[in-house]
Amino acid sequence: MASGRVQGKVAVVTGGARGIGAEIGRLLAAEGATVVVADLAPAKDIPTSAEGGPADYRRVDVTDEASVRAAFDDIVATHGRIDVLVNNAGVPGPIKPSHEVVEEEYDLLFAVDVKGVWLCTKHAVRHMLERGGGSVINMSSIYGLVGGARIPLYHAAKGAVRMMTKADAATYATSDIRVNSVHPGSIETQLSTSLSADPSPEAAAYAQRMLDNTPVGHRGTPEDIAYGVLYLASDESRFVTGTELVVDGGYTAV
Ligand code: NAD
């Protein structure tokens, strides 16, 4: 039952075309926000407001500063301000040990998952400083909290997102800009399916290990993550900055 928890706010959700980002967009819109999706995907792949989706959309490559700057300036010109930025766009990167990863794979992973968070923060915060506040929510992962053997560089990238969050929280606290990270466990989306979909025994073992290590005994849904983001986007969390919101069915508790 929606009750306007982010009523009147303008929220930008990167990677909001599908998966966790699409659900964040839907929930923030249902709770009263004007949601703008910023995604690499073409307009035809974006949920419409008639489907409970975002009010607006900008095609953005988060790795490209000119694209991010133009989109964020245009969003402010159209909607007046940015109150909430959800840095959700991300890719898993290569499923390989570090010594087998090639430079292009490393560069793409860090361009999307780390540089993209920095660039979108940079161009949203410019406007938040002018307006006097805001909430930035960075999508890290449980893999930004603990290590693991299968996708080592993803752990490194999500660890960087966690620390960027804390440093930015300290930097902008006196400007009323809060910065927090969210750390999902295994959530049913295209990204997580791609990690366990290949027919190798390692992939099946990985999927089983994820489940075995999740005390609640099942994977989460995009909605489980969206409710955490909703709290951090709303004024209910006005004293919360630099924190790590772990939403993982207990994975990191054991
Ligand atoms: P997904 O692959 O379903 O969706 C990712 C979205 O990001 C897509 O819409 C894609 O078009 C967009 N995107 C990718 N590169 C982009 C770019 N350069 N510029 C703009 N948009 C771009 O992924 P998901 O599972 O919904 O994951 C969302 C976030 O949550 C990611 O940051 C991911 O690392 C994180 N996460 C996911 C899980 C999980 O189990 N699914 C667990 C922990 C963390």
Side-chain angles (χ1 to χ4, degrees), residues 15 17-21 39-41 60-63 88-91 112 139-141 154 158 184-187 189-192:
R18 66 172 190 234
I20 293 171
D39 201 295
L40 204 53
V60 176
D61 179 352
V62 298
T63 71
N88 165 79
V91 292
V112 179
M139 201 57 70
S140 179
S141 166
Y154 181 76
K158 291 299 185 180
S186 184
I187 306 299
T189 69
Q190 197 161 315
L191 182 149
S192 58

Side-chain angles (χ1 to χ4, degrees), residues 5 16 19 72 75 103 146 178 204:
R5 292 171 65 188
F72 281 53
I75 289 166
E103 196 173 358
V146 298
R178 301 183 295 106

Side-chain angles (χ1 to χ4, degrees), residues 10 56 58 69-82 127:
V10 176
D56 204 354
R58 295 289 180 286
R69 181 193 289 113
F72 281 53
D73 286 352
D74 191 41
I75 289 166
V76 171
T78 306
H79 297 285
R81 61 190 193 277
I82 297 171
H127 295 292

